[in-house]
Amino acid sequence: GIYAGLDGPAGLFDRLAEEFPHSKEAVAVLQLDAGHEPMVAEAVLQEAIDWVCDQFPSVRAKNGTSGGVILAGFSMGATTIARAVHAHYSDCVSGIMLFSGQTLDCDKLQTFSAGLRRVLVVHGMEDVVVSVVAARHLSRSAAEAPGQPRVDIAIIPQKRLEDMDGLERQMRHHCWEEREEVYEVVVPWVHGLVAQLKCEQLRVLGGHSEMAAAV
């Protein structure tokens, strides 16, 4: 996301990068600094997906299975995912996580392929940068994708504060004080999706799974 930093919302991306390479599932984490312009961010994301698919060919959908790429976007990152991926790269994307997401061009989520299995939308209840109402719009758009993916929405409770300065507003937008709550939502969700994809491969490929996943 724009100005999200490599650590992402609530320091989440750094924690995922530490968590998943040591987990039982074969999950790799690639963190991107996509710059501060949406057009640049789109190009960076597209190049990254190309690289991941070259390095890990098994993440591409084949033989009726879903792809192994799970995308995570913060704030403007929701728009970046919707614009950069939708019909072009969605054959390898099985999951999307959107944090405090903006809704510009979110209707493009409806054009993702039927391989999209799950979408997670996380938003702070008292976000004053992007209203929590945006989470509802993102959820509805994602639910209309052709494969009718499962859409989970987590609204994180936050204390109501008045007269916040710029830093406090951004901390609220990042769910910084609620980072443990965010983490407890995200990690089981990713583990659940990876397990679903492996079961899908075992069923379609007759007992053999070569699934790798990249977040």
Side-chain angles (χ1 to χ4, degrees):
I2 307 303
Y3 298 111
L6 279 176
D7 61 339
L12 178 67
F13 296 163
D14 277 349
R15 292 185 67 175
L16 293 182
E18 294 174 358
E19 163 94 10
F20 287 112
H22 303 291
S23 65
K24 292 184 293 184
E25 293 95 346
V27 179
V29 178
L30 177 63
Q31 296 171 262
L32 302 176
D33 183 351
H36 307 309
E37 293 291 338
M39 290 183 64
V40 174
E42 292 164 34
V44 169
L45 179 56
Q46 289 172 342
E47 287 290 328
I49 294 175
D50 284 335
W51 182 86
V52 167
C53 290
D54 287 343
Q55 296 297 312
F56 306 97
S58 63
V59 302
R60 286 195 177 277
K62 57 183 177 181
N63 300 325
T65 65
S66 297
V69 174
I70 304 170
L71 298 177
F74 168 72
S75 195
M76 183 59 77
T79 294
T80 300
I81 289 174
R83 285 179 170 178
V85 180
H86 64 101
H88 300 299
Y89 292 87
S90 60
D91 66 313
C92 57
V93 175
S94 57
I96 299 173
M97 298 183 287
L98 305 175
F99 303 95
S100 307
Q102 301 182 28
T103 58
L104 181 64
D105 285 335
C106 70
D107 59 312
K108 294 184 183 297
L109 294 171
Q110 301 169 18
T111 68
F112 273 62
S113 77
L116 182 62
R117 290 292 183 259
R118 292 192 187 185
V119 177
L120 174 64
V121 179
V122 180
H123 213 111
M125 175 67 78
E126 301 296 335
D127 190 340
V128 293
V129 177
V130 177
S131 170
V132 69
V133 173
R136 307 293 183 189
H137 291 302
L138 291 169
S139 299
R140 284 196 294 268
S141 293
E144 293 178 9
Q148 296 183 321
R150 169 179 162 178
V151 179
D152 300 303
I153 182 168
I155 304 302
I156 306 299
Q158 294 176 311
K159 295 178 181 178
R160 184 183 295 274
L161 298 176
E162 304 294 340
D163 300 323
M164 288 181 285
D165 61 23
L167 177 59
E168 290 171 329
R169 291 166 61 90
Q170 285 300 320
M171 289 179 66
R172 179 60 55 91
H173 186 44
H174 282 70
C175 291
W176 182 252
E177 292 184 355
E178 299 80 29
R179 54 192 178 276
E180 293 300 326
E181 290 90 335
V182 172
Y183 192 71
E184 290 172 3
V185 167
V186 171
V187 172
W189 187 91
V190 174
H191 282 304
L193 176 54
V194 173
Q196 176 183 343
L197 297 177
K198 286 186 174 182
C199 289
E200 183 179 283
Q201 275 210 348
L202 289 170
R203 183 177 66 253
V204 173
L205 301 180
H208 173 68
S209 174
E210 55 183 27
M211 168 61 68
V215 179

